[in-house]
Amino acid sequence: MTSPQTTTGPGRLLTPFNLVAGIIVVFGMIITILRFTGGLASVTNLSDDNPWGLWIGFDLLVGVALAAGGYVTSAAVYIFGLKRFHAAVRPAILTGFLGYALVVLALHYDVGRPWRLPYPFVVSAGTTSLLFEVAACVALYLTVLFIEFSPAALEWLGLKRARHLVTRLTLVLTILGVVLSTLHQSSLGALFLIVPAKLHPLWYTPYLPIYFFITSTIAGLSMVICESALSHRYFHGKMDAAHLSGNRDLTLGFGKAASWVLLGYFVIKVIGIAADNQWHYLGTGFGAWYLVELLGFVALPAFMYAVGVREKNITIIRWTAAWTVLGIVVNRFNVCLVAFNWHLPAEQRYFPHWMEIGISVFIVTLGILVFRFIVTRMPILHAHPDYDAH
Amino acid sequence: MSISRRKFLGWMGGASLVAAGARKAHAAANRSFEGYAGSLAVLHDITRCIGCRRCEAGCNAVNELPQPEKPFDDLTVLEKRRRTSAPAYTVVNRFAPAGDGQPPVFVKKQCNHCLEPACASACFVKAFTKTPQGAVIYNPNVCVGCRYCMIACPFEIPAYEYDKALDPRVTKCTLCHPRILEGKLPGCVEACPTEALVFGPRDELIRMARDRMRAHPGRYLDHIYGEHEMGGTSWLYLSGQPFETLGMREDLGTAPAGQLTSGALGAVPMVVGLWPVLLTGIWAITQRKEKIAAHEQAQAVAAARAETEAQAEVRLKTALEKAAKENAAAVAREVKKALETAKTAPQGESDTEKKS
């Protein structure tokens, strides 16, 4: 393992990480220019049959789910009173905020006229659309996350009075965050309620919004475990005693919660199959893939989390968390891309263009760069010396 | 209490106005929309279609669409299944019915102009409108280009100008709405040489379709496609072949698209109303638990301290008493000793005196 300081140490610009990130950013810029001069046709494999591709499936659906750590952690600490996880709140809020900001950035690539994104609110409100609800909640929640994140920036800037004012809003913001997250996380699933004719019956169920909401909490818990593991490794020098010592406790606590929620999710998934009597589809090719998702990415991590927590084995929990995050990606891809349009012949199905993948990688890279910029400067992984942990 | 029935109903009306968003979704309304009265529609008699593509040409001309690569009288394009696209609002497809020697069947495909359109329900800027005349029309001036309408459409009709960088539009058949307003026929209907397309009020067309079924037994299946599909559409189809074999789905159901999402939308105000109460409640309970725990801890500490103090006092007291006792005993002993010495001393003295 290279020393963690290679990426965080001041003055060293030409690190392997920076080099790779730089190349990705340059490529991203080029594809961006192509996108906004040649249209979607020049950089994507989207078609009239497949109007949504990787940028919706990954950047929007996966992005929003994986950014759920913010509301999960702040709710655990400020509402459920699990104060021992307090050190995890700021990194989780920061990744949540960056996640949502990047989702909105990615949407600018996908929609035809991005400057019209505020239209649903200021020009013509289509309130019968689930997408309206998603848009409204994402816009509001991005604002909430920004305010929740701002104390760290205000401490960094030394604006004590503003910081004091914002921290007094903590409880209200947390509740607002949970309400908005409940709504838009579930609405992303509800987007597909309108397509029983296009989505495979194993994935299409009236429970879709509930599934999406529950999996968002699983994603949130697992992402916080993964992020804390990565921060531990690469930003060790930036972490104070509270963050270093709380890490193990956090991993065990969130791992236990994730195990239980995955178990509950497994149960309601089976209920979904039973309620619509879709058992016979399990014998088909799509059924096999469904079982891979259900057993491999729901039942297995539920069990492995439980084992990790019982054995107090941090390594098992961390790998399970990474596997669970992958499972969220699989689930969102299945709903949006794999099981969607399952009735179409193979030649009309969608597979992303490499430049679509390029933009997604570019946007994730931007997120990592901004995250690094902030945690190496602002009090995220350590408390600011002038303030108590609030 | 003197609340008149009228007053009460007035309040209820006010309440339902407040819930106007939910009312639109018909979250709990036990009613259905049968379409605008007297709205116009097209009846496509598939058995009369000869696959000449004149309707495609007519559509292309009245909508001023770009000329296709192959001209409209080139029928080789029928060899491939086609769908609607940005430059083609309508396409004719050829199907080979089961059984040898059967002549091919041609079906025209375009927007079906649903009575309650999925695209309109899905659009978050209300870019789609079902007009009272029957057409579902699109407003490019508000469209953001999210393409959710294309996802939502069960008939896979809306297309998109993927090659436009800055002003892509969603495109689809307009039922020639501007021409309807002028009292003209839709371009395709006007161009059809075999009257496979008939334009008129929807309810009259349904009657006409039934008349044809009665007049030509065996020619048609007993199914007017579009009468009930997805809540009913303004394009109606008659066929002698099962619609499923003609690329038309028969598993769409009769519920309009809006009903599929109204439940989820109806849950939104419930979450907004109840979540803050629930969460504040949980917060208050944890706060109270902490407070009680702190209080109990303080009490326990105080009690423990009091007990220790009491014990200490008792111990001190006993110790003091013991000490006092010991003191007294010691004094008594000393006194006794002294007395004894005093008693024995004179004897001793006398003894010594005697001895001496």
Side-chain angles (χ1 to χ4, degrees):
Chain A
M1 182 190 145
T2 53
S3 156
Q5 266 68 40
T6 49
T7 51
T8 56
R12 290 203 52 191
L13 270 176
L14 267 178
T15 60
F17 174 84
N18 283 357
L19 205 65
V20 173
I23 292 168
I24 292 172
V25 168
V26 169
F27 263 93
M29 295 296 203
I30 293 168
I31 304 173
T32 304
I33 293 168
L34 289 176
R35 153 68 185 91
F36 287 104
T37 51
L40 287 173
S42 57
V43 293
T44 72
N45 279 344
L46 296 175
S47 65
D48 291 333
D49 285 320
N50 302 289
W52 284 358
L54 187 72
W55 293 346
I56 297 295
F58 182 77
D59 299 28
L60 175 65
L61 296 186
V62 174
V64 168
L66 297 190
Y71 90 84
V72 170
T73 312
S74 58
V77 172
Y78 296 126
I79 294 175
F80 291 88
L82 304 171
K83 294 194 173 138
R84 64 183 195 276
F85 301 141
H86 190 269
V89 171
R90 276 198 181 177
I93 293 284
L94 174 62
T95 42
F97 171 58
L98 290 179
Y100 277 87
L102 295 173
V103 164
V104 174
L105 175 67
L107 284 179
H108 282 72
Y109 285 81
D110 189 76
V111 304
R113 309 192 204 203
W115 55 91
R116 285 187 180 174
L117 278 170
Y119 271 30
F121 317 118
V122 293
V123 175
S124 177
T127 48
T128 58
S129 172
L130 259 314
L131 200 60
F132 179 83
E133 198 202 329
V134 171
C137 291
V138 167
L140 283 173
Y141 188 45
L142 184 62
T143 316
V144 167
L145 279 169
F146 176 73
I147 302 172
E148 283 187 299
F149 158 73
S150 65
L154 294 171
E155 286 172 15
W156 180 54
L157 296 168
L159 299 169
K160 295 196 178 190
R161 285 186 64 181
R163 183 255 180 212
H164 178 65
L165 207 70
V166 175
T167 51
R168 289 180 63 181
L169 295 172
T170 301
L171 180 65
V172 175
L173 289 174
T174 305
I175 290 176
L176 205 55
V178 177
V179 170
L180 293 170
S181 294
T182 308
L183 291 177
H184 72 261
Q185 294 283 2
S186 60
S187 295
L188 285 175
L191 284 180
F192 294 91
L193 287 178
I194 206 163
V195 288
K198 295 184 183 177
L199 185 57
H200 190 281
L202 282 172
W203 282 273
Y204 184 88
T205 149
Y207 298 132
L208 264 176
I210 297 170
Y211 289 173
F212 266 57
F213 173 61
I214 298 299
T215 44
S216 82
T217 64
I218 297 167
L221 293 165
S222 303
M223 274 303 277
V224 170
I225 295 173
C226 288
E227 288 156 13
S228 79
L230 292 174
S231 294
H232 214 65
R233 184 159 177 174
Y234 295 107
F235 300 110
H236 199 275
K238 291 286 167 190
M239 298 174 95
D240 64 10
H243 285 77
L244 290 172
S245 62
N247 203 289
R248 185 183 156 79
D249 202 19
L250 174 85
T251 306
L252 287 171
F254 274 38
K256 190 190 247 180
S259 177
W260 281 108
V261 182
L262 274 163
L263 184 67
Y265 177 59
F266 179 82
V267 171
I268 61 170
K269 282 285 262 192
V270 175
I271 289 174
I273 298 290
D276 291 336
N277 198 15
Q278 311 285 25
W279 300 105
H280 59 286
Y281 282 107
L282 292 179
T284 63
F286 271 104
W289 180 234
Y290 184 85
L291 287 175
V292 169
E293 185 192 321
L294 184 66
L295 300 178
F297 290 102
V298 181
L300 179 69
F303 179 71
M304 291 312 292
Y305 265 133
V307 170
V309 171
R310 195 189 63 176
E311 309 284 323
K312 303 222 181 309
N313 187 327
I314 301 296
T315 313
I316 291 182
I317 297 177
R318 282 178 177 167
W319 280 108
T320 307
W323 184 252
T324 310
V325 167
L326 181 65
I328 300 295
V329 178
V330 169
N331 173 256
R332 298 304 194 259
F333 276 18
N334 279 347
V335 172
C336 184
L337 305 173
V338 179
F340 187 81
N341 272 344
W342 69 292
H343 61 292
L344 291 183
E347 69 270 16
Q348 275 167 267
R349 299 299 307 274
Y350 161 86
F351 192 84
H353 192 278
W354 72 265
M355 286 203 267
E356 288 180 81
I357 301 171
I359 285 293
S360 292
V361 172
F362 165 61
I363 285 174
V364 171
T365 308
L366 278 186
I368 295 171
L369 289 175
V370 178
F371 183 83
R372 189 182 65 167
F373 177 88
I374 292 175
V375 295
T376 50
R377 283 164 180 79
M378 298 183 197
I380 303 292
L381 299 172
H382 57 89
H384 193 284
D386 292 0
Y387 306 91
D388 301 334
H390 52 263
Chain B
M1 287 279 283
S2 61
I3 303 169
S4 71
R5 184 181 142 84
R6 172 169 300 196
K7 221 176 192 175
F8 177 74
L9 289 177
W11 289 346
M12 293 309 284
S16 67
L17 269 183
V18 172
R23 197 170 59 166
K24 263 191 182 157
H26 298 305
N30 181 22
R31 60 174 179 175
S32 59
F33 177 66
E34 307 284 343
Y36 288 108
S39 76
L40 298 161
V42 178
L43 174 65
H44 177 25
D45 190 334
I46 291 169
T47 65
R48 294 189 182 195
C49 182
I50 55 168
C52 65
R53 298 186 69 210
R54 298 256 183 93
C55 53
E56 288 186 37
C59 175
N60 180 283
V62 300
N63 288 299
E64 293 166 3
L65 298 174
Q67 282 298 310
E69 272 178 47
K70 291 183 179 175
F72 286 105
D73 51 12
D74 182 349
L75 297 184
T76 57
V77 296
L78 293 174
E79 279 156 22
K80 237 179 110 187
R81 240 329 250 286
R82 294 177 299 156
R83 61 154 288 159
T84 51
S85 59
Y89 296 172
T90 184
V91 291
V92 174
N93 279 313
R94 182 173 63 195
F95 294 90
D100 292 332
Q102 296 263 27
V105 176
F106 301 96
V107 184
K108 180 180 180 301
K109 187 182 175 85
Q110 74 298 305
C111 173
N112 282 327
H113 298 274
C114 303
L115 301 184
E116 292 184 70
C119 54
S121 167
C123 182
F124 73 159
V125 286
K126 286 196 287 193
F128 292 96
T129 313
K130 175 73 176 177
T131 65
Q133 292 81 15
V136 177
I137 54 170
Y138 164 76
N139 176 8
N141 296 324
V142 294
C143 178
V144 181
C146 72
R147 307 185 298 284
Y148 188 31
C149 50
M150 301 166 68
I151 293 282
C153 177
F155 302 109
E156 298 167 358
I157 294 302
Y160 188 72
E161 296 174 322
Y162 285 104
D163 52 347
K164 289 203 178 166
L166 298 174
D167 54 350
R169 291 171 306 165
V170 169
T171 63
K172 71 167 199 68
C173 159
T174 63
L175 200 64
C176 287
H177 185 63
R179 286 169 62 87
I180 292 178
L181 293 181
E182 291 170 21
K184 293 183 193 162
L185 287 173
C188 55
V189 177
E190 196 174 65
C192 182
T194 62
E195 287 186 32
L197 303 175
V198 185
F199 180 73
R202 185 172 183 270
D203 41 5
E204 272 180 38
L205 291 181
I206 290 173
R207 270 198 295 279
M208 178 192 279
R210 296 224 187 284
D211 288 343
R212 285 191 191 179
M213 285 176 182
R214 265 192 295 276
H216 305 279
R219 184 181 173 120
Y220 301 106
L221 293 171
D222 184 19
H223 180 182
I224 305 171
Y225 193 96
E227 187 181 6
H228 301 298
E229 272 76 12
M230 294 303 292
T233 63
S234 293
W235 270 71
L236 304 161
Y237 301 81
L238 276 180
S239 169
Q241 302 290 332
F243 289 102
E244 210 152 52
T245 64
L246 305 177
M248 297 166 77
R249 300 188 61 167
E250 296 191 64
D251 58 349
L252 298 177
T254 56
Q259 274 185 19
L260 296 164
T261 52
S262 63
L265 279 170
V268 171
M270 294 297 109
V271 172
V272 174
L274 292 177
W275 245 220
V277 179
L278 177 72
L279 295 171
T280 314
I282 293 171
W283 172 80
I285 290 167
T286 53
Q287 286 289 103
R288 188 166 155 70
K289 265 189 180 165
E290 275 170 27
K291 209 171 153 188
I292 290 173
H295 183 67
E296 281 176 351
Q297 197 181 14
Q299 268 187 334
V301 168
R305 189 185 293 148
E307 202 183 329
T308 343
E309 273 171 9
Q311 278 174 354
E313 216 162 276
V314 169
R315 224 176 292 142
L316 190 69
K317 211 171 154 192
T318 45
L320 279 174
E321 273 169 14
K322 204 175 157 196
K325 240 184 235 165
E326 273 171 12
N327 255 357
V331 169
R333 211 164 43 236
E334 288 301 314
V335 169
K336 205 176 160 191
K337 221 168 153 187
L339 278 176
E340 268 170 22
T341 6
K343 226 193 251 170
T344 51
Q347 278 179 353
E349 261 172 47
S350 53
D351 285 350
T352 46
E353 274 170 21
K354 275 178 196 173
K355 275 173 196 171
S356 62

